[in-house]
Amino acid sequence: MDDSVKLIRSCETGVKMAIVSINSALHYVTSPKLMDIMENFRDRHREIYGEMSELLRKLNGEDKDVSAMLKAMNRLTTRMRIAVRSENADIAQTMMNSCDKGIRKIADNMIKYKNADPTVKDMAKKLVSLEQEYKSNLRLCV
């Protein structure tokens, strides 16, 4: 499997996990402002996921679903972090930390899969930009 497929698959998995994490955290949000931000960025993550899936199909890569176990672990981890500190500012901070982890993971994978097609690299950069924007918006709620 070439670097392009590996990179886009990795990004696609990250986006799926971000959506799961946002959905898990939304159950605890009471601030309308934070809820709007999170719902907006969940929708934007869904959009970029669609773009990534299309790009993966063009590369003849098989779309793999995130395992149920990984999704459950992500949900549980998010809920545990938030249950301990369930104020809206704490939820926003938890989501910001997730953005940081996602950005680091994408950067690591861009180095690891350095021979990926420029179109795939651009998609990864687009995801980094989305995560940075999400984090900036969340900062308004801390």
Side-chain angles (χ1 to χ4, degrees):
M1 183 180 346
D2 76 357
D3 282 3
S4 296
V5 172
K6 289 176 183 175
L7 179 57
I8 197 70
R9 236 187 226 154
S10 172
C11 289
E12 191 182 54
T13 299
V15 170
K16 287 178 191 178
M17 297 312 295
I19 293 167
V20 168
S21 183
I22 292 169
N23 283 333
S24 295
L26 275 170
H27 295 287
Y28 300 94
V29 174
T30 58
S31 163
K33 181 179 180 179
L34 180 57
M35 188 170 291
D36 286 345
I37 290 168
M38 291 176 67
E39 288 174 342
N40 175 30
F41 280 90
R42 177 194 56 200
D43 294 344
R44 292 179 63 192
H45 277 80
R46 286 177 177 159
E47 288 172 16
I48 201 168
Y49 172 76
E51 293 173 28
M52 288 179 176
S53 294
E54 180 62 31
L55 183 55
L56 185 58
R57 278 191 290 282
K58 286 180 183 176
L59 295 169
N60 296 318
E62 187 178 314
D63 187 12
K64 289 189 174 182
D65 196 20
V66 176
S67 75
M69 178 64 98
L70 187 56
K71 284 182 184 178
M73 291 291 292
N74 183 288
R75 257 187 231 106
L76 181 62
T77 302
T78 299
R79 288 182 179 166
M80 284 175 51
R81 284 184 186 139
I82 291 171
V84 172
R85 299 179 59 148
S86 60
E87 297 296 320
N88 289 298
D90 296 323
I91 295 168
Q93 187 63 55
T94 297
M95 295 290 102
M96 289 169 55
N97 292 342
S98 294
C99 290
D100 286 338
K101 288 177 189 174
I103 291 166
R104 280 193 306 273
K105 181 72 173 172
I106 296 164
D108 289 347
N109 284 329
M110 287 184 74
I111 293 166
K112 184 177 179 180
Y113 305 123
K114 64 181 181 253
N115 294 320
D117 183 88
T119 306
V120 174
K121 289 179 181 178
D122 287 344
M123 183 63 71
K125 290 174 187 173
K126 183 175 180 179
L127 179 56
V128 168
S129 293
L130 178 65
E131 291 300 310
Q132 289 170 332
E133 185 181 350
Y134 183 34
K135 183 178 174 183
S136 293
N137 278 262
L138 289 166
R139 194 171 280 123
L140 301 172
C141 298
V142 177

